[in-house]
């Protein structure tokens, strides 16, 4: 008899906890934003960033990159001054280290860059034309061979045009003439038949003389059978000055038959940052992201770093900076929230209210849990859901939440839980880091889903052990 009373007491308490959970769910609390990489993946694109080996020694920064990005560009490690400092003497250690870190974070890698006028050793610049051509082909062949099968793309040639659309008068251009770019692409294709080959440049983000020149080059390459797969728009932009023709520019390259990527996005401002400048920067990030997301064939966006802590801007443009989505302390700026929302996420604050469901009766003796299901945001055909799990009166080490979608909805990608579906039935289990909950403590997992006619809230059940 005494035991029955005790059990009834636990049930009542769990029910009470369920009510508490409902109250919390309805409160306008801050929720963790979904990582950009997950939001991007749900849209069939990538979100990338650049980092150097040195920056990856900063464990908090490394973790931020692993959380937000599913594409990585080595900041300096695949450039000529690192990879072939002396003729025929190759050094792939630093580049390999970035690839290893990226692989560990389940990121793909953009190779950057094979032929550029900058960060190229003097021995290359001092070669006579005949030897320079051979050195270029040898460099490309060896480096592309080394990374064959490991990269998504190569920036084969970087920054070969001037602002007026004429060829930059670099040592490459002056010694080898117009043909060197096509030769570089042919050598890269010979060394790796599968990697995507990109031409990459800055101030080519909107329509203008420089992007026209790149457009005409790509068009003639395609007509002549020179292998080229993509155009990289670096997008080193200035607050308040995102080109209005960015989307149109991206579209015209895609219409030619190549893909486009935004490869080095940052948006600088005169420092110090103010709330007003940060707000403008946020809408600028959204505008740049929207331009890419609006065009099928714009495959991804890479920012040139994530945090102002490691941006190249202040050293090259004194008095300017604050160009990236996270500040010096790795805290998200308004630009991050805007970017997150542009990708269909919530930013740091949910934009719509949530709808809880009835907590279920605990099973399995003293170990129990309740769950509430919420639609965080919803758009045509898609939605982001969040399920909060709260332990009952005893600590639990594992939990399982199940539901059946009432309107044929489906789950496409999930974070902080592992999900198995069977028809409309969904079973979500904790991962190894979030199964353990103290009495009354909670955790949450999220997912992206699709819906058709209706997006009704399912009843959820939670069991714990
Ligand atoms: O300049 C920004 C980017 C423009 N587009 C091409 C990118 O490759 C370029 O990246 C930057 C790197 O982020 C910097 O880290 O390229 C710079 C060189 O043009 C890199 O800066 C250099 C410093 O100028 C050198 O003093 C330093 O030795 O990095 C070198 C290695 O740390």
């Amino acid at each position: 008899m005494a035991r029955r009373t005790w059990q009834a007491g636990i049930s009542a308490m769990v029910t009470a906890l369920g009510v508490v959970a409902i109250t919390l769910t309805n409160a306008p609390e801050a929720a963790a934003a979904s990582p950009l990489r997950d939001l991007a993946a749900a849209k069939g694109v990538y979100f990338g960033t650049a980092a150097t080996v040195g920056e990856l020694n900063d464990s908090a920064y490394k973790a931020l990159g692993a959380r937000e990005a599913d594409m990585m560009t080595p900041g300096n490690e695949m450039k000529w001054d690192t990879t072939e400092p002396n003729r025929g003497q190759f050094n792939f250690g630093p580049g390999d280290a970035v690839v290893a870190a990226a692989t560990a974070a389940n990121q793909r890698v953009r190779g950057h860059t094979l032929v550029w006028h900058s960060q190229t050793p003097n021995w290359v610049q001092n070669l006579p034309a005949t030897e320079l051509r051979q050195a270029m082909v040898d460099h490309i062949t060896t480096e592309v061979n080394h990374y064959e099968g490991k990269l998504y793309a190569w920036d084969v040639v970087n920054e070969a045009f001037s602002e007026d659309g004429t060829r930059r008068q670099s040592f490459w251009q002056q010694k080898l003439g117009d043909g060197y770019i096509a030769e570089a692409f042919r050598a890269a294709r010979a060394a790796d038949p599968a990697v995507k080959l990109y031409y990459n440049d800055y101030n080519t983000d909107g329509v203008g003389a420089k992007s026209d020149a790149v457009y005409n080059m790509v068009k003639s390459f395609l007509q002549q059978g020179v292998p080229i797969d993509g155009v990289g728009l670096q997008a080193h932009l200035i607050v308040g000055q995102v080109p209005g023709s960015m989307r149109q520019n991206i579209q015209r390259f895609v219409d030619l038959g190549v893909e486009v990527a935004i490869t080095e996005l940052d948006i600088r401002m005169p420092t110090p940052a103010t709330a007003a400048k940060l707000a403008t920067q946020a809408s600028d990030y959204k505008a740049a992201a929207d331009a890419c997301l609006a065009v099928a064939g714009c495959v991804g966006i890479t920012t040139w770093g994530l945090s102002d802590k490691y941006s190249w801007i202040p050293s090259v443009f004194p008095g300017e900076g604050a160009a990236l989505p996270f500040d010096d302390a790795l805290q998200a700026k308004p630009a991050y929230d805007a970017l997150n929302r542009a990708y269909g996420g919530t930013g740091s604050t949910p934009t719509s209210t949530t709808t809880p469901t009835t907590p279920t009766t605990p099973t399995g003796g003293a170990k129990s849990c309740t769950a509430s299901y919420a639609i965080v945001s919803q758009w045509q055909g898609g939605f982001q859901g969040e399920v909060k799990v709260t332990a009952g009166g005893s600590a639990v080490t594992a939990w399982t939440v199940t539901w059946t979608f009432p309107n044929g909805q489906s789950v496409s990608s999930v974070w902080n839980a592992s999900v198995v579906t069977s028809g409309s039935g969904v079973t979500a289990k904790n991962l190894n880091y979030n199964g353990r909950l103290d009495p009354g403590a909670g955790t949450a997992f999220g997912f992206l889903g699709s819906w058709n006619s209706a997006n009704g809230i399912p009843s959820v059940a939670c069991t714990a052990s």
Side-chain angles (χ1 to χ4, degrees):
M1 187 64 196
R3 186 173 163 82
R4 284 181 80 94
T5 309
W6 177 81
Q7 278 183 332
I10 289 286
S11 289
M13 189 169 77
V14 168
T15 305
L17 281 169
V19 171
V20 170
I22 287 170
T23 311
L24 279 176
T25 307
N26 277 338
E29 67 190 72
S34 304
L36 294 172
R37 62 183 290 169
D38 296 342
L39 298 169
K43 289 185 177 290
V45 294
Y46 65 78
F47 181 79
T49 193
T52 63
V53 167
E55 289 157 12
L56 291 172
N57 286 331
D58 176 339
S59 56
Y61 186 65
K62 186 180 180 180
L64 180 67
R67 189 184 82 199
E68 296 295 338
D70 59 359
M71 184 71 82
M72 175 59 73
T73 305
N76 287 311
E77 291 71 8
M78 294 187 182
K79 294 171 181 174
W80 200 315
D81 58 355
T82 298
T83 55
E84 195 184 2
N86 298 297
R87 192 167 189 176
Q89 182 196 97
F90 287 89
N91 171 25
F92 295 119
D96 291 352
V98 177
V99 172
T103 305
N106 198 19
Q107 295 163 331
R108 292 182 294 165
V109 178
R110 296 191 88 261
H112 174 79
T113 177
L114 296 166
V115 177
W116 192 22
H117 62 274
S118 179
Q119 288 177 286
T120 303
N122 286 333
W123 72 261
V124 182
Q125 304 194 36
N126 293 336
L127 289 173
T130 46
E131 289 195 53
L132 180 61
R133 178 169 277 111
Q134 191 59 49
M136 180 185 84
V137 170
D138 290 348
H139 179 78
I140 292 171
T141 304
T142 306
E143 183 158 2
V144 175
N145 272 337
H146 177 81
Y147 287 108
E148 187 176 2
K150 294 187 175 143
L151 305 183
Y152 170 70
W154 265 114
D155 290 333
V156 178
V157 177
N158 197 41
E159 303 175 2
F161 285 90
S162 299
E163 299 311 296
D164 64 0
T166 59
R167 286 294 186 88
R168 179 193 288 271
Q169 291 303 307
S170 66
F171 66 91
W172 294 112
Q173 181 70 28
Q174 290 182 337
K175 291 188 182 176
L176 302 183
D178 281 351
Y180 83 92
I181 300 183
E183 282 179 62
F185 276 83
R186 288 198 168 102
R189 175 56 75 234
D192 184 342
V195 70
K196 303 244 187 218
L197 305 180
Y198 269 67
Y199 175 78
N200 191 52
D201 213 329
Y202 63 90
N203 284 350
T204 50
D205 318 304
V207 174
K210 196 173 182 182
S211 63
D212 287 351
V214 176
Y215 178 86
N216 290 330
M217 179 187 75
V218 172
K219 191 173 177 185
S220 77
F221 277 13
L222 293 170
Q223 282 164 355
Q224 296 163 40
V226 177
I228 183 164
D229 304 300
V231 171
L233 308 179
Q234 293 186 8
H236 292 295
L237 302 174
I238 298 170
V239 160
Q241 298 180 33
V242 176
S245 57
M246 216 166 155
R247 175 180 173 175
Q248 180 195 344
N249 191 41
I250 293 170
Q251 185 69 60
R252 69 172 172 161
F253 280 106
V254 169
D255 290 345
L256 269 185
V258 290
E259 60 181 51
V260 172
I262 293 179
T263 52
E264 306 184 14
L265 178 63
D266 50 23
I267 308 182
R268 62 186 184 267
M269 63 178 69
T271 46
T274 61
K277 286 186 259 184
L278 291 171
T280 306
Q281 184 185 50
S283 51
D284 289 344
Y285 264 96
K286 174 173 161 43
D290 284 348
C292 181
L293 288 168
V295 181
C298 189
V299 296
I301 297 175
T302 295
T303 55
W304 205 244
L306 279 174
S307 153
D308 295 335
K309 188 175 181 183
Y310 296 115
S311 172
W312 67 291
I313 298 286
S315 62
V316 176
F317 299 99
E320 297 182 64
L324 290 165
F326 290 86
D327 69 12
D328 287 326
L330 309 189
Q331 296 303 303
K333 293 160 62 178
Y336 176 81
D337 284 349
L339 209 44
N340 195 281
R341 290 203 175 96
Y343 278 103
T346 59
S348 308
T349 319
T351 49
S352 67
T353 50
T354 60
T355 314
T357 56
T358 325
T360 51
T361 323
T363 57
K367 297 205 181 198
S368 65
C369 55
T370 58
S372 66
Y373 175 109
I375 295 172
V376 176
S377 64
Q378 178 172 308
W379 55 95
Q380 189 58 48
F383 69 107
Q384 182 185 336
E386 184 181 64
V387 177
K388 294 191 177 182
V389 179
T390 306
S394 303
V396 308
T397 54
W399 46 260
T400 301
V401 178
T402 56
W403 69 85
T404 301
F405 280 123
N407 310 113
Q409 300 102 316
S410 62
V411 169
S412 55
S413 89
V414 183
W415 52 97
N416 296 337
S418 82
V419 161
V420 174
T421 58
S422 164
S424 283
V426 179
T427 302
K429 290 181 181 295
N430 63 276
L431 298 176
N432 57 13
Y433 59 82
N434 63 358
R436 195 171 294 275
L437 297 174
D438 287 338
T443 187
F445 64 92
F447 62 90
L448 295 174
S450 26
W451 61 284
N452 263 318
S453 51
N455 194 12
I457 304 293
S459 320
V460 290
C462 191
T463 55
S465 57

